[in-house]
Amino acid sequence: MPLTITRFAPEDLSSTEVSKSLTTDSLSASYKLEYFDVSSVGAVPRDILSFGNAQWEDLVVTNWPAEVKSPFGLFPVLHIKTADGREIRLTESFVIEHFLAKQFGLLGDNEWEELQIKTFHSSSLYLRERLTIRVTWNYKEVQEKALEAFLSKDLPLWIKTHTKHLKDNGSNGHYVGNKTSLADLQTANVIDHLKCLYKGDAIVQQIQQGSPEIWKVKETVDKEPRLQKWRQSDGYKTHIAFSQARYANTGI
Amino acid sequence: MPLTITRFAPEDLSSTEVSKSLTTDSLSASYKLEYFDVSSVGAVPRDILSFGNAQWEDLVVTNWPAEVKSPFGLFPVLHIKTADGREIRLTESFVIEHFLAKQFGLLGDNEWEELQIKTFHSSSLYLRERLTIRVTWNYKEVQEKALEAFLSKDLPLWIKTHTKHLKDNGSNGHYVGNKTSLADLQTANVIDHLKCLYKGDAIVQQIQQGSPEIWKVKETVDKEPRLQKWRQSDGYKTHIAFSQARYANTGI
């Protein structure tokens, strides 16, 4: 893989200068979210940018793996053009999603709400990652039993514990407080991801039947007015269609 | 698994009250880090608590899986007793490690340093997770080829990209700026973890020979004066010994 390891920020800027540029008005900045032409790991950052009504471009990775330009050789990469014209890159899902969620008001109203939101976000993100590594891109000869183990152990534990905490918050379609947060977006997008997988309908049915509380989060996100423009766009629909095609036959 | 799903905070407290309790002087709070009797995912939070000279207890999970008490049925769990006597729980590695790193000055000196530190931390943490799911706890019949793929693809990419960014920071034994951060602790502990695995010596040798820059981070952390008391304790040594025993023969 011919790789250009890109920098996170221009070499001649001090970290104080970059910090200052980054914390300037987020609505005057513009963003490019660079990822493959599927939903998966790109779905949540795209939803946050859409939710925040940001100036952003949905940049699809081309020419991969013939030519890769990225700080870690991986995607997604978030390209930020700050209000004062500086070009900064972020990578790693947790970093990109926490950063964007902070910029666009998806981390609650105080320190404790933020910690709880990040906790549920992490739990749902990791459910997808565990499934992706353990099942989706595992060796074909063990995929079937790995999926069985996921469906009989990991998924029920996630459903059971998330349901309990959602009930503690009043079963109102939100993990924390009374409004849409990064946690809600993550869980809704994980369910969308599961749906694209082999036996996806059965997996999603297990969630829907097992937890009206989790399902309410999914429905509340899907109805979120600030997501509609993006979700009805050709770009979004193409990612979903390509995900379905990509994940229909996986394994290595 | 008989599971008690514990709450994150007492039911009768508002999120504003919990926030206030949590942001009170961190040195007057006390902590229990509950995890299994191995290094692995517990190693970094234990190092941070030690680095910060916190009042903390190394709480080993007992009676697992006969009885499990945890917010997600998983460990580690960080139990916090705040300066004003409130009992709060955190879980999920990213949340625990970001929180503790913030409390004890391991996230740099400004916004951009913090973002970069969290980026390198995430990359190294995920290297360990990918290896754990893909190789350590994969099915025995595919472990050998999964390990080969890790050693020929994932590990070299991590070494190459981290080395470049460490050179950009002056090859000074730190990822960001001129002092120990969460990123440094994560990478050093991942190398310690790798060493305990099957063929671990060869893996570690690949890092040491491939990157004097990464190795310098490891040596700098190992010499960090604020870690010595913990690292020389029986508790620490037991975790290392148990890790070596636990990871000598893995797979399912």
Side-chain angles (χ1 to χ4, degrees), chain A residues 134 144-156, chain B residues 139:
Chain A
R134 175 62 66 88
E144 196 72 33
K145 57 184 175 183
L147 180 60
E148 271 171 44
F150 177 81
L151 295 179
S152 63
K153 281 192 259 176
D154 301 309
L155 186 62
Chain B
Y139 295 94

Side-chain angles (χ1 to χ4, degrees), chain A residues 23-38:
Chain A
T23 47
T24 315
D25 176 23
S26 54
L27 282 172
S28 304
S30 64
Y31 305 87
K32 290 180 191 175
L33 195 281
E34 187 178 15
Y35 191 61
F36 301 99
D37 196 2
V38 289

Side-chain angles (χ1 to χ4, degrees), chain A residues 91-96 98 115 118-119 121-123 125-126 129, chain B residues 41 44-45 48 76 78 90-102 107 117-129 182 186:
Chain A
T91 189
E92 294 292 305
S93 291
F94 275 94
V95 174
I96 291 174
H98 285 184
L115 280 166
K118 287 177 170 176
T119 302
H121 164 261
S122 173
S123 172
L125 190 156
Y126 197 70
E129 289 306 294
Chain B
V41 184
V44 169
I48 303 173
L78 178 70
L90 294 181
T91 189
E92 295 292 305
S93 290
F94 276 93
V95 174
I96 292 174
E97 293 174 19
H98 285 184
F99 174 80
L100 288 176
K102 190 83 180 172
L107 290 181
I117 289 165
K118 287 177 170 176
T119 302
F120 294 115
H121 164 262
S122 172
S123 173
S124 293
L125 190 155
Y126 197 71
L127 183 83
R128 183 197 65 212
E129 289 306 294
L182 176 64
Q186 184 67 54

Side-chain angles (χ1 to χ4, degrees), chain B residues 28-46:
Chain B
S28 303
S30 64
Y31 306 86
K32 291 181 191 174
L33 194 281
E34 187 178 15
Y35 191 61
F36 300 99
D37 196 2
V38 290
S39 300
S40 185
V41 184
V44 169
R46 290 170 184 146

Side-chain angles (χ1 to χ4, degrees), chain B residues 8-38:
Chain B
F8 294 100
E11 194 173 351
D12 59 345
L13 291 185
S14 71
S15 64
T16 319
E17 289 171 305
V18 179
S19 298
K20 203 179 153 203
S21 293
L22 275 180
T23 46
T24 316
D25 176 24
S26 55
L27 282 172
S28 303
S30 64
Y31 306 86
K32 291 181 191 174
L33 194 281
E34 187 178 15
Y35 191 61
F36 300 99
D37 196 2
V38 290

Side-chain angles (χ1 to χ4, degrees), chain B residues 116-170:
Chain B
Q116 287 180 285
I117 289 165
K118 287 177 170 176
T119 302
F120 294 115
H121 164 262
S122 172
S123 173
S124 293
L125 190 155
Y126 197 71
L127 183 83
R128 183 197 65 212
E129 289 306 294
R130 195 188 289 117
L131 178 70
T132 300
I133 305 175
R134 173 62 65 88
V135 183
T136 310
W137 300 115
N138 207 338
Y139 295 94
K140 283 187 189 290
E141 62 266 36
V142 297
Q143 272 189 303
E144 197 73 33
K145 58 183 175 182
L147 180 59
E148 270 170 46
F150 177 82
L151 294 179
S152 63
K153 280 192 258 174
D154 300 310
L155 186 63
L157 182 61
W158 179 80
I159 292 175
K160 189 174 178 178
T161 55
H162 280 238
T163 301
K164 160 69 165 62
H165 296 298
L166 286 165
K167 282 183 181 167
D168 285 347
N169 194 49

